[in-house]
Structures are given as structure tokens and as C-alpha cells.
């Protein structure tokens, strides 16, 4: 079992930055893959970024590549999403997720989810 708690969301103007954090507990954090997803108003949940347990490999959606950075601190059992150059279309509830085996961009393959944190980008 893995528990995930996100924080760091809020209201920001377009062009601004936010850093989301996700603290994990309950299982050996250093051995699981972590991802961020988002769900905007009236939209389906979509993949944002993912990182392997060793931090050697990261994946990004094309829509955020070059603007968002995923990282993790295994000692603190925390994964981060640094979001720069934010756009109004980034407005969504952002979810942290854990995948016990493997890593990818399909939400159905993730085993545990946080409750989400709201990010609102004003124009």
C-alpha cells in the first residue's frame, strides 16, 4: 500500500511558476515509478510526466516538455513537479501517482493515486 499526498497548487498568472510536491508513505519509495497527471475542466485525465525510481529516466507529455521538470528525492520520499512558463491551458487538478512495476504514460497502469491539488493559471 502507498499513500500519496500532493501540495503546492494555487493561483498563478500566465508566465509564472509553481512547484508541486507529493509525499509518499507506506512502501519502499525508492523502488517505484512516480508520475504526474492532470484533469482539466470537462477533460479526461492526461499524462504530464513520469520518473523512474533511479531518476535516470524521465518522460514528459509534449504539451509540457521544456516547461515542466519532474524530480524526486528518495531520502524524503517526495516527488516534485516544477512548472514554469505556465499557460491558462495548464489549469487543472494535478494528481500524483505511483506505479509498482514499470513506468509509462497510461493512467490505468498506475496503482496508487493522491487526492489531487488544484492549479489555476489566469491570463
Amino acid at each position: 500500500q502507498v499513500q500519496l499526498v500532493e501540495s503546492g497548487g494555487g493561483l498563478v498568472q500566465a508566465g509564472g511558476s509553481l512547484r508541486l510536491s507529493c509525499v509518499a508513505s507506506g512502501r519502499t519509495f525508492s523502488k517505484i515509478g512516480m508520475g504526474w497527471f492532470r484533469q482539466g475542466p470537462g477533460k479526461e485525465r492526461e499524462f504530464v510526466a513520469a520518473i523512474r525510481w533511479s531518476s535516470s529516466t524521465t518522460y514528459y507529455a509534449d504539451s509540457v516538455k521544456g516547461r515542466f521538470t519532474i524530480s524526486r528525492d528518495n531520502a524524503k520520499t517526495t516527488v516534485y513537479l516544477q512548472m514554469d512558463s505556465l499557460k491558462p491551458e495548464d489549469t487543472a487538478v494535478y494528481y500524483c501517482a505511483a506505479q509498482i512495476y514499470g513506468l509509462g504514460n497510461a493512467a490505468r497502469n498506475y496503482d496508487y493515486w493522491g487526492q489531487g491539488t488544484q492549479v489555476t493559471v489566469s491570463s
Side-chain angles (χ1 to χ4, degrees):
Q1 193 79 0
V2 177
Q3 293 79 41
L4 304 171
V5 179
E6 304 99 331
S7 63
L11 173 64
V12 64
Q13 288 188 332
S17 298
L18 282 174
R19 189 176 81 155
L20 305 183
S21 299
C22 173
V23 179
S25 60
R27 191 182 172 116
T28 304
F29 176 80
S30 62
K31 298 297 184 182
I32 60 178
M34 299 296 297
W36 285 97
F37 290 77
R38 68 185 181 186
Q39 187 165 13
K43 299 180 181 180
E44 294 189 355
R45 191 169 298 190
E46 64 174 356
F47 170 76
V48 175
I51 185 167
R52 289 195 180 277
W53 68 270
S54 63
S55 299
S56 61
T57 305
T58 56
Y59 304 93
Y60 295 95
D62 288 343
S63 59
V64 306
K65 203 171 293 183
R67 299 188 298 121
F68 290 12
T69 303
I70 189 171
S71 62
R72 63 191 293 164
D73 185 332
N74 287 342
K76 296 182 178 179
T77 66
T78 301
V79 63
Y80 304 98
L81 185 69
Q82 177 67 41
M83 305 185 295
D84 299 318
S85 302
L86 282 161
K87 304 175 181 180
E89 51 263 43
D90 294 318
T91 295
V93 177
Y94 283 71
Y95 297 91
C96 173
Q99 189 169 9
I100 304 303
Y101 299 108
L103 191 69
N105 60 5
R108 65 181 182 273
N109 293 332
Y110 282 76
D111 303 289
Y112 302 98
W113 294 83
Q115 82 288 349
T117 185
Q118 176 71 47
V119 172
T120 303
V121 184
S122 63
S123 57

